[in-house]
Amino acid sequence: MVILDGKATADTIKGEIALQVEEVIRKGGKRPHLAAILVGDDGASQTYVGHKERACKQVGFDSTLIRLPDETSQERLLAEISKINGNSEIDGLIVQLPLPKHIDEQKVIEAIDPKKDVDGFHPVNVGKMLLGLPTFVSATPAGIIELLSRYNIKTSGKNCVIIGRSNIVGRPMANLLSQKSNPGDCTVTICHSRTRDIKEHTLNADIIIAALGIPEFLTGDMVKEGAVVIDVGITRVEADTKSGFKLVGDVKFDEVAPKCSYITPVPGGVGPMTIISLLKNTLIASGN
Ligand code: NAP
């Protein structure tokens, strides 16, 4: 069994991006600049935005964090996005999700200039991805594709089961893995909360991607010998740690890992790779 080390892979790729940035600057080019908007003070969101800012610094990008209070109106947020859309200094913009309940997330996503939408959530970018055209691919699925690629995992002709059909993980993942590409060329099944017998599907899967947000949902008896298991889930559960919580994935690691050919850990698997996709998309958005 091989652990797919997302942290180490991400560190390697950050080194590669940093070299590219140095080269751009040496040639008199523009330093890539990512802006993030964070509305409210949700603990997990603050942590994720903090990781993204730190990653920008590590590769030599400029970054700007705009913090807005929880009670920010939708109009105010849209005005902020419009300002950044018009700011030629800023190449990429992300709005950290989830947003407070009184704000319409889809309206916000659609307000971002598709050319700055480095999260790849705008309908224009989603549409291009569906057609297999070059675009900003949603960061988590793109990170998983990169991880499979770096570990040379064969996907062609494999049965792949994805648990979860969200717009940001499950569905784009299913699309990418079913495309005529490498990694890709999979026969993909999407499972969700209405699927009758998930185990029936996962037992037939060569590759399982668990993205439902239920801690330790995928147990050992649901996985066949030699499967590749990618755990996207991150749930904060209370624990006797300094922070008072720990991060738990959607896979019951101790049971599932011994049966796998490859498996991602949580933390240190998909999470760091998601940030890599953001950096890569920002580099592209900056014209480099
Ligand atoms: P989401 O929008 O809540 O979607 C969850 C999906 O799981 C839905 O399609 C839902 O089905 C399905 N589901 C829920 N309960 C189920 C069950 N009992 N059996 C089968 N399917 C079930 O979540 P998300 O945004 O995709 O995120 C999923 C997980 O990944 C979360 O833990 C999140 O924190 C994590 N995540 C991690 C990263 C990373 O960088 N590592 C990035 C994004 C998300 P229905 O559609 O039928 O409701």
Side-chain angles (χ1 to χ4, degrees):
M1 181 265 296
V2 174
I3 302 261
L4 295 169
D5 190 338
K7 163 104 183 43
T9 308
D11 286 344
T12 303
I13 300 173
K14 274 185 206 160
E16 295 166 9
I17 297 173
L19 286 177
Q20 272 178 273
V21 173
E22 269 178 33
E23 185 66 7
V24 167
I25 303 301
R26 203 177 52 76
K27 289 183 173 157
K30 178 189 176 304
R31 193 176 287 283
H33 189 163
L34 175 68
I37 301 181
L38 176 61
V39 185
D41 50 13
D42 174 69
S45 293
Q46 296 203 41
T47 306
Y48 298 146
V49 168
H51 287 161
K52 290 166 190 174
E53 272 199 295
R54 198 167 337 123
C56 281
K57 204 173 270 170
Q58 285 168 341
V59 299
F61 287 5
D62 287 330
S63 71
T64 299
L65 173 60
I66 297 144
R67 284 174 180 277
L68 299 172
D70 200 49
E71 62 276 12
T72 301
S73 69
Q74 182 166 302
E75 288 62 39
R76 166 82 213 283
L77 177 57
L78 293 176
E80 201 63 52
I81 291 170
S82 166
K83 216 162 75 187
I84 296 173
N85 283 344
N87 181 346
S88 60
E89 278 302 303
I90 294 176
D91 306 299
L93 167 62
I94 56 172
V95 178
Q96 185 66 42
L97 304 179
L99 290 166
K101 297 245 170 326
H102 64 275
I103 297 179
D104 179 343
E105 255 175 33
Q106 195 54 33
K107 271 221 167 93
V108 169
I109 288 169
E110 289 183 24
I112 299 173
D113 179 346
K115 293 195 277 312
K116 297 193 179 190
D117 167 42
V118 288
D119 256 336
F121 295 162
H122 193 286
V124 166
N125 290 323
V126 176
K128 285 185 177 172
M129 183 221 32
L130 282 171
L131 296 171
L133 299 171
T135 187
F136 300 127
V137 174
S138 177
T140 300
I144 293 170
I145 292 287
E146 178 89 44
L147 193 60
L148 293 171
S149 170
R150 294 268 169 163
Y151 276 86
N152 265 320
I153 294 175
K154 302 274 167 290
T155 57
S156 179
K158 305 282 185 190
N159 289 337
C160 174
V161 168
I162 298 168
I163 314 174
R165 57 176 167 184
S166 72
N167 287 339
I168 63 168
V169 188
R171 282 203 273 185
M173 194 71 248
N175 180 266
L176 292 172
L177 281 174
S178 61
Q179 283 188 12
K180 228 177 211 179
S181 61
N182 180 27
D185 282 330
C186 286
T187 304
V188 177
T189 304
I190 306 181
C191 296
H192 45 76
S193 67
R194 300 299 177 96
T195 302
R196 256 186 270 138
D197 184 355
I198 292 188
K199 185 172 164 183
E200 184 193 353
H201 297 285
T202 54
L203 276 177
N204 191 36
D206 305 303
I207 301 171
I208 301 172
I209 301 187
L212 65 161
I214 300 184
E216 300 187 328
F217 177 88
L218 191 78
T219 46
D221 60 322
M222 297 171 79
V223 178
K224 76 171 181 184
E225 290 290 336
V228 176
V229 172
I230 307 288
D231 189 352
V232 184
I234 313 179
T235 306
R236 281 180 167 211
V237 298
E238 276 186 28
D240 196 12
T241 58
K242 213 169 104 195
S243 58
F245 66 85
K246 63 175 181 168
L247 299 178
V248 182
D250 288 348
V251 175
K252 200 163 179 125
F253 189 87
D254 294 347
E255 278 183 26
V256 173
K259 298 181 92 174
C260 291
S261 53
Y262 296 90
I263 186 167
T264 58
V266 174
V270 173
M273 294 304 295
T274 294
I275 295 182
I276 288 301
S277 314
L278 263 186
L279 296 175
K280 283 187 145 189
N281 283 345
T282 305
L283 193 61
I284 295 168
S286 71
N288 296 301

